[in-house]
Amino acid sequence: MSKHPAPREREMLARWLRERALRLVAKRQLGDFCTFSPDYVVHRFGVADLRPVCAAHDALYALGGDEHDRLEADIEFREGVRERAGWWWATIYYLGVRIGGRSRWS
Protein backbone atom coordinates (compact mmCIF):
# COMPACT_ATOMS: atom_id res chain seq x y z
CA MET A 1 0.00 0.00 0.00
CA SER A 2 1.34 3.43 -0.97
CA LYS A 3 2.14 6.02 1.66
CA HIS A 4 0.68 8.77 -0.54
CA PRO A 5 -2.85 9.16 -1.95
CA ALA A 6 -3.77 8.40 -5.56
CA PRO A 7 -3.63 11.40 -7.97
CA ARG A 8 -7.36 12.17 -7.85
CA GLU A 9 -7.50 11.83 -4.06
CA ARG A 10 -4.35 13.92 -3.82
CA GLU A 11 -5.88 16.74 -5.87
CA MET A 12 -9.04 16.75 -3.74
CA LEU A 13 -7.00 16.74 -0.54
CA ALA A 14 -4.66 19.44 -1.85
CA ARG A 15 -7.64 21.66 -2.72
CA TRP A 16 -9.11 21.15 0.75
CA LEU A 17 -5.74 21.92 2.41
CA ARG A 18 -5.31 25.13 0.37
CA GLU A 19 -8.81 26.30 1.29
CA ARG A 20 -8.24 25.44 4.96
CA ALA A 21 -4.90 27.26 4.98
CA LEU A 22 -6.52 30.38 3.50
CA ARG A 23 -9.28 30.31 6.14
CA LEU A 24 -6.68 30.03 8.90
CA VAL A 25 -4.74 32.95 7.43
CA ALA A 26 -7.91 35.03 7.36
CA LYS A 27 -8.60 34.19 11.01
CA ARG A 28 -4.93 34.78 11.92
CA GLN A 29 -4.76 31.27 13.39
CA LEU A 30 -1.83 30.01 11.35
CA GLY A 31 1.50 30.94 12.91
CA ASP A 32 4.23 30.22 10.39
CA PHE A 33 3.73 31.54 6.90
CA CYS A 34 6.80 32.22 4.78
CA THR A 35 9.35 30.22 6.76
CA PHE A 36 12.74 31.97 6.93
CA SER A 37 11.43 34.71 4.59
CA PRO A 38 9.38 37.91 4.97
CA ASP A 39 5.59 37.48 4.93
CA TYR A 40 5.28 40.89 3.25
CA VAL A 41 7.44 42.28 0.45
CA VAL A 42 7.65 45.73 -1.11
CA HIS A 43 7.23 45.90 -4.86
CA ARG A 44 6.62 48.70 -7.34
CA PHE A 45 2.87 48.83 -6.64
CA GLY A 46 3.06 48.74 -2.84
CA VAL A 47 3.28 45.96 -0.27
CA ALA A 48 2.33 42.36 -1.09
CA ASP A 49 0.99 40.00 1.56
CA LEU A 50 2.44 36.57 0.77
CA ARG A 51 0.94 34.76 3.78
CA PRO A 52 -1.92 33.08 1.84
CA VAL A 53 0.48 31.82 -0.83
CA CYS A 54 2.98 30.57 1.75
CA ALA A 55 0.26 28.90 3.83
CA ALA A 56 -1.08 27.05 0.78
CA HIS A 57 2.47 25.99 -0.13
CA ASP A 58 3.07 24.72 3.41
CA ALA A 59 -0.16 22.72 3.18
CA LEU A 60 1.02 21.06 -0.04
CA TYR A 61 4.38 20.27 1.57
CA ALA A 62 2.56 18.67 4.50
CA LEU A 63 0.65 16.52 2.01
CA GLY A 64 3.92 15.28 0.55
CA GLY A 65 4.31 13.00 -2.46
CA ASP A 66 7.05 12.36 -4.97
CA GLU A 67 9.52 14.81 -6.52
CA HIS A 68 7.05 15.68 -9.30
CA ASP A 69 4.45 16.65 -6.66
CA ARG A 70 7.04 18.85 -4.96
CA LEU A 71 7.88 20.55 -8.27
CA GLU A 72 4.16 21.19 -8.92
CA ALA A 73 3.75 22.66 -5.41
CA ASP A 74 6.77 24.93 -5.93
CA ILE A 75 5.58 26.09 -9.37
CA GLU A 76 2.13 26.86 -7.97
CA PHE A 77 3.87 28.80 -5.17
CA ARG A 78 5.97 30.75 -7.69
CA GLU A 79 2.88 31.70 -9.68
CA GLY A 80 1.07 32.83 -6.52
CA VAL A 81 3.99 35.05 -5.52
CA ARG A 82 4.20 36.40 -9.09
CA GLU A 83 0.51 37.37 -9.04
CA ARG A 84 0.95 39.23 -5.75
CA ALA A 85 4.45 40.69 -6.00
CA GLY A 86 5.82 40.32 -9.53
CA TRP A 87 8.42 38.18 -11.29
CA TRP A 88 11.45 39.38 -9.33
CA TRP A 89 10.06 38.27 -5.95
CA ALA A 90 8.59 35.12 -7.51
CA THR A 91 12.02 34.10 -8.77
CA ILE A 92 13.70 34.78 -5.42
CA TYR A 93 11.10 32.86 -3.40
CA TYR A 94 10.96 30.02 -5.95
CA LEU A 95 14.74 29.53 -5.80
CA GLY A 96 14.49 29.57 -2.01
CA VAL A 97 11.95 26.75 -1.89
CA ARG A 98 13.69 24.70 -4.57
CA ILE A 99 17.05 24.95 -2.79
CA GLY A 100 15.97 25.04 0.84
CA GLY A 101 12.72 23.06 0.74
CA ARG A 102 14.02 19.60 -0.02
CA SER A 103 14.63 18.77 3.66
CA ARG A 104 11.07 19.82 4.55
CA TRP A 105 9.35 17.73 1.86
CA SER A 106 7.38 14.80 3.30
Side-chain angles (χ1 to χ4, degrees):
M1 180 173 210
S2 174
K3 173 182 165 185
H4 302 290
R8 182 180 170 140
E9 293 168 341
R10 178 183 165 66
E11 182 54 39
M12 290 172 50
L13 185 56
R15 188 173 341 168
W16 180 84
L17 283 170
R18 281 188 214 101
E19 291 169 4
R20 178 75 178 143
L22 294 176
R23 283 196 300 273
L24 291 173
V25 167
K27 293 180 179 180
R28 300 189 187 283
Q29 293 177 344
L30 195 61
D32 183 21
F33 299 103
C34 302
T35 310
F36 304 120
S37 301
D39 293 339
Y40 300 90
V41 295
V42 177
H43 61 98
R44 65 183 181 165
F45 300 113
V47 176
D49 181 0
L50 300 180
R51 293 175 306 162
V53 178
C54 292
H57 185 251
D58 287 351
L60 292 175
Y61 263 55
L63 181 58
D66 61 21
E67 187 58 32
H68 178 75
D69 295 325
R70 177 175 173 247
L71 178 61
E72 284 183 351
D74 291 348
I75 289 171
E76 182 177 315
F77 174 70
R78 181 190 65 199
E79 293 306 305
V81 174
R82 183 191 58 77
E83 289 171 5
R84 289 174 174 267
W87 278 109
W88 191 86
W89 283 113
T91 301
I92 297 299
Y93 274 69
Y94 177 75
L95 290 173
V97 297
R98 289 309 294 166
I99 295 167
R102 181 175 303 279
S103 65
R104 297 185 178 279
W105 183 252
S106 298

